[in-house]
Coordinates of all heavy atoms in Angstrom, one line a residue:
C31 N 0.5 2.2 -0.8 CA 1.3 3.5 -0.9 C 1.2 4.2 0.5 O 0.2 4.2 1.2 CB 0.6 4.3 -1.9 SG 1.3 6.0 -2.0
L32 N 2.4 4.7 0.9 CA 2.4 5.4 2.2 C 1.4 6.6 2.2 O 0.9 6.9 3.3 CB 3.8 5.9 2.5 CG 4.8 4.9 2.9 CD1 6.2 5.5 3.0 CD2 4.4 4.2 4.2
D38 N -5.5 7.3 5.2 CA -6.5 6.5 6.0 C -6.4 6.7 7.5 O -7.4 6.7 8.2 CB -6.3 5.0 5.6 CG -6.7 4.7 4.2 OD1 -7.4 5.5 3.6 OD2 -6.3 3.6 3.8
D52 N 16.1 20.3 9.0 CA 16.9 19.6 10.0 C 17.5 18.3 9.4 O 18.7 18.1 9.6 CB 16.0 19.2 11.2 CG 15.6 20.4 12.0 OD1 16.1 21.5 11.8 OD2 14.7 20.2 12.8
D68 N 36.9 14.4 9.0 CA 36.7 14.5 10.4 C 36.0 13.3 10.9 O 34.7 13.2 10.9 CB 35.9 15.8 10.8 CG 35.8 16.0 12.2 OD1 35.8 15.1 13.0 OD2 35.6 17.2 12.6
L73 N 31.2 10.0 12.2 CA 30.6 8.9 12.9 C 29.6 9.3 13.9 O 28.6 8.6 14.1 CB 31.7 8.0 13.5 CG 32.6 7.3 12.6 CD1 33.7 6.5 13.3 CD2 31.9 6.4 11.6
G74 N 29.7 10.5 14.5 CA 28.7 11.0 15.4 C 27.4 11.3 14.8 O 26.4 11.4 15.5
V84 N 25.6 1.6 5.8 CA 26.0 2.4 4.7 C 26.2 1.4 3.5 O 27.1 0.5 3.6 CB 27.3 3.3 4.9 CG1 27.7 4.0 3.6 CG2 27.0 4.3 6.0
G86 N 27.1 1.2 -0.7 CA 27.7 1.9 -1.8 C 27.4 1.1 -3.1 O 26.8 0.1 -3.1
S87 N 28.1 1.6 -4.2 CA 27.9 0.9 -5.5 C 28.8 -0.3 -5.6 O 28.4 -1.2 -6.4 CB 28.2 1.9 -6.6 OG 27.3 3.0 -6.6
C89 N 30.6 -3.9 -5.0 CA 30.2 -5.2 -4.5 C 30.5 -5.4 -3.1 O 29.8 -6.0 -2.4 CB 30.8 -6.3 -5.4 SG 30.2 -6.3 -7.1
R92 N 29.1 -2.9 1.5 CA 28.0 -3.2 2.4 C 28.5 -3.1 3.8 O 29.2 -4.0 4.3 CB 27.4 -4.6 2.2 CG 26.2 -4.9 3.1 CD 25.6 -6.2 2.8 NE 26.2 -6.9 1.7 CZ 26.3 -8.3 1.7 NH1 25.8 -9.0 2.6 NH2 26.8 -8.8 0.6
G95 N 27.3 -1.4 11.0 CA 27.9 -1.0 12.2 C 29.0 0.0 12.1 O 29.5 0.2 11.0
S96 N 29.3 0.7 13.1 CA 30.2 1.8 13.0 C 31.7 1.4 12.6 O 32.3 2.2 11.9 CB 30.3 2.6 14.3 OG 30.7 1.8 15.4
D106 N 38.0 5.3 1.5 CA 37.7 6.4 0.6 C 38.7 7.5 0.7 O 39.2 8.0 -0.3 CB 36.3 7.0 0.8 CG 35.2 6.0 0.4 OD1 35.4 5.0 -0.2 OD2 34.0 6.3 0.8
G118 N 21.4 18.3 -5.1 CA 20.4 18.9 -6.0 C 19.0 18.6 -5.5 O 18.6 18.8 -4.3
T124 N 8.4 12.0 6.4 CA 8.6 11.6 7.8 C 7.3 11.0 8.4 O 6.2 11.3 7.9 CB 9.0 12.9 8.7 OG1 9.3 12.4 10.0 CG2 7.9 13.9 8.7
G126 N 6.4 10.2 12.4 CA 6.9 10.2 13.8 C 8.3 10.6 13.9 O 8.7 11.6 13.4
L137 N 29.4 14.3 -6.6 CA 30.6 14.1 -5.8 C 31.8 14.5 -6.6 O 32.1 13.9 -7.7 CB 30.7 12.6 -5.4 CG 32.0 12.2 -4.5 CD1 31.9 12.9 -3.2 CD2 32.0 10.7 -4.4
A146 N 37.2 14.2 -11.2 CA 35.9 13.9 -11.8 C 34.8 14.4 -10.9 O 35.0 14.6 -9.7 CB 35.8 12.3 -11.9
T153 N 19.9 7.7 -0.9 CA 18.7 7.6 0.0 C 19.2 7.4 1.4 O 20.3 6.8 1.6 CB 17.8 6.4 -0.5 OG1 18.6 5.2 -0.5 CG2 17.3 6.6 -1.9
A154 N 18.4 7.8 2.3 CA 18.8 7.7 3.7 C 17.6 7.6 4.6 O 16.5 8.1 4.2 CB 19.6 8.9 4.2
V155 N 17.7 6.9 5.7 CA 16.7 6.8 6.8 C 17.4 7.4 8.0 O 18.5 7.1 8.4 CB 16.3 5.4 7.0 CG1 15.3 5.3 8.2 CG2 15.7 4.8 5.8
L168 N 22.2 4.7 5.0 CA 22.6 5.6 3.9 C 23.0 4.7 2.8 O 23.7 3.7 2.9 CB 23.7 6.5 4.4 CG 24.2 7.5 3.3 CD1 23.5 8.8 3.6 CD2 25.7 7.7 3.4
Y170 N 24.2 5.1 -1.4 CA 24.5 5.9 -2.5 C 24.9 5.0 -3.7 O 25.5 4.0 -3.5 CB 25.7 6.9 -2.2 CG 27.0 6.2 -1.7 CD1 27.9 5.9 -2.6 CD2 27.2 5.9 -0.4 CE1 29.1 5.3 -2.3 CE2 28.4 5.3 0.0 CZ 29.3 5.0 -0.9 OH 30.5 4.4 -0.5
P173 N 23.8 6.7 -10.9 CA 22.8 6.2 -11.9 C 23.5 5.9 -13.3 O 24.5 6.5 -13.6 CB 21.9 7.4 -12.1 CG 22.6 8.6 -11.5 CD 23.7 8.1 -10.6
E179 N 25.1 1.1 -22.6 CA 24.9 -0.2 -23.0 C 24.7 -1.2 -21.9 O 24.4 -2.4 -22.1 CB 26.1 -0.7 -23.9 CG 26.2 0.2 -25.2 CD 27.2 -0.4 -26.2 OE1 27.5 -1.6 -26.1 OE2 27.6 0.4 -27.0
A180 N 24.8 -0.7 -20.7 CA 24.6 -1.6 -19.5 C 23.1 -1.9 -19.4 O 22.3 -1.1 -19.6 CB 25.1 -0.9 -18.2
C183 N 18.1 -4.1 -16.3 CA 17.1 -5.0 -15.8 C 17.7 -6.4 -15.5 O 18.6 -6.8 -16.2 CB 16.0 -5.2 -16.9 SG 15.2 -3.7 -17.3

Side-chain angles (χ1 to χ4, degrees):
C31 174
L32 286 175
D38 291 346
D52 291 346
D68 186 334
L73 291 178
V84 174
S87 295
C89 292
R92 180 180 356 149
S96 60
D106 291 350
T124 185
L137 178 65
T153 58
V155 176
L168 182 91
Y170 59 91
E179 294 191 23
C183 299

